[in-house]
Amino acid sequence: MSKILIIEDDTEIAMLEKDYLEINGFETEIIADGKQAVTAILDNSYDLILLDLMLPGQNGYDICREVRDKTDIPILMVTARTESMDKIRGLGLGADDYIAKPFDPAELVARVKSHISRYERLVGTTRKADNEEQIIVGELKILRRSWKVYKAGQEIRFPNREFELLLFLAEHPNIVFSKDALFEKIWGYDYAGDSATVTVHINRIREKIENDPAKPEMIETIWGAGYRLNR
């Protein structure tokens, strides 16, 4: 049974999320304080995090920033703030998706199921593989099946969307893909965001793999066309 951590200080909303998720077969835990949430995430095993933005103790942005490089499970932000910059900021810190309050509980459950299924397809039982296929790009090594990335022998943690995007580009080197094409491939038509999400994730990937993210050589921007991974 998948376990969901609900980080929400509004009791009514937290109980609504809990009830609908448990009706659909999920185990849930509720935490209302931001600082307690960070400890819980790092000390326990969850399959997905539902993260409110406005929390006592520590806000959702800071929680996402603190835990994202330590865990790769899906993070779904639940927020009353619908401005594009707020969404882009959350995605830029490593959130996988967001849903705006007030939300349809059925949509929330559908989003949770979708993200857990995607995550399980990516990493489910394949992390134990040793002799797996790998892609080498300069000093970068990408392991397809175990969902790991190494640069100069040091492992770099990648959330699931970032890994999918990097892997797709690495599997199709020297080909230019538009932002719309990448968005459709990685996020799909049913995702609530837009192609600006691609830019946010490309920037995060560059920060991890480029020697100078301000002058990227591995993932190049082709102005007016899109992005290309040089190999």
Side-chain angles (χ1 to χ4, degrees):
M1 179 184 296
S2 297
K3 186 174 183 180
I4 313 299
L5 176 61
I6 299 170
I7 307 173
E8 172 64 69
D9 65 326
D10 185 313
T11 302
E12 184 175 344
I13 292 176
M15 292 307 298
L16 177 66
E17 293 171 345
K18 176 183 175 70
D19 288 345
Y20 271 85
L21 288 168
E22 291 188 348
I23 287 172
N24 283 272
F26 295 102
E27 180 183 352
T28 64
E29 179 180 343
I30 297 174
I31 293 179
D33 181 85
K35 289 185 178 179
Q36 293 178 9
V38 171
T39 301
I41 293 168
L42 299 181
D43 290 349
N44 294 277
S45 179
Y46 301 102
D47 296 285
L48 182 141
I49 299 167
L50 285 178
L51 177 61
D52 185 34
L53 285 184
M54 309 307 293
L55 294 162
Q58 190 168 349
N59 67 44
Y61 292 127
D62 289 339
I63 291 171
C64 193
R65 180 187 294 109
E66 187 169 345
V67 306
R68 182 72 284 179
D69 289 336
K70 300 178 178 68
T71 180
D72 53 16
I73 64 171
I75 297 176
L76 173 57
M77 285 188 165
V78 184
T79 174
R81 304 175 70 171
T82 58
E83 292 83 356
S84 294
M85 288 308 298
D86 290 319
K87 296 174 182 177
I88 290 173
R89 182 184 177 191
L91 294 170
L93 292 172
D96 295 278
D97 199 355
Y98 56 84
I99 186 167
K101 301 176 183 176
F103 54 82
D104 179 348
E107 180 186 357
L108 178 71
V109 171
R111 295 275 194 93
V112 168
K113 288 181 177 179
S114 174
H115 281 285
I116 289 178
S117 294
R118 177 185 291 269
Y119 182 75
E120 288 176 345
R121 285 197 303 270
L122 283 170
V123 301
T125 60
T126 62
R127 286 187 179 270
K128 61 184 179 181
D130 293 322
N131 300 317
E132 60 180 291
E133 287 187 74
Q134 60 186 29
I135 300 175
I136 305 296
V137 183
E139 59 181 0
L140 203 68
K141 180 168 69 173
I142 304 168
L143 306 184
R144 281 188 176 94
R145 297 180 62 194
S146 62
W147 207 39
K148 292 182 178 181
V149 179
Y150 293 87
K151 180 181 180 181
Q154 293 290 114
E155 184 177 359
I156 308 170
R157 295 192 69 92
F158 275 79
N160 53 347
R161 298 287 192 182
E162 288 178 29
F163 180 83
E164 286 183 89
L165 181 54
L166 174 62
L167 178 62
F168 178 77
L169 290 171
E171 288 177 331
H172 303 84
N174 308 316
I175 299 174
V176 179
F177 292 95
S178 69
K179 288 192 292 184
D180 288 339
L182 291 172
F183 182 81
E184 178 187 340
K185 177 64 180 179
I186 306 302
W187 283 267
Y189 285 117
D190 59 343
Y191 185 75
D194 55 41
S195 60
T197 301
V198 174
T199 302
V200 174
H201 283 71
I202 289 288
N203 289 339
R204 282 182 58 85
I205 293 171
R206 283 172 169 165
E207 289 173 1
K208 297 176 180 180
I209 68 173
E210 298 281 0
N211 293 326
D212 183 357
K215 299 177 180 179
E217 297 179 353
M218 198 173 302
I219 298 180
E220 185 178 0
T221 299
I222 309 300
W223 296 108
Y227 299 102
R228 176 180 64 207
L229 185 139
N230 296 316
R231 184 179 172 192

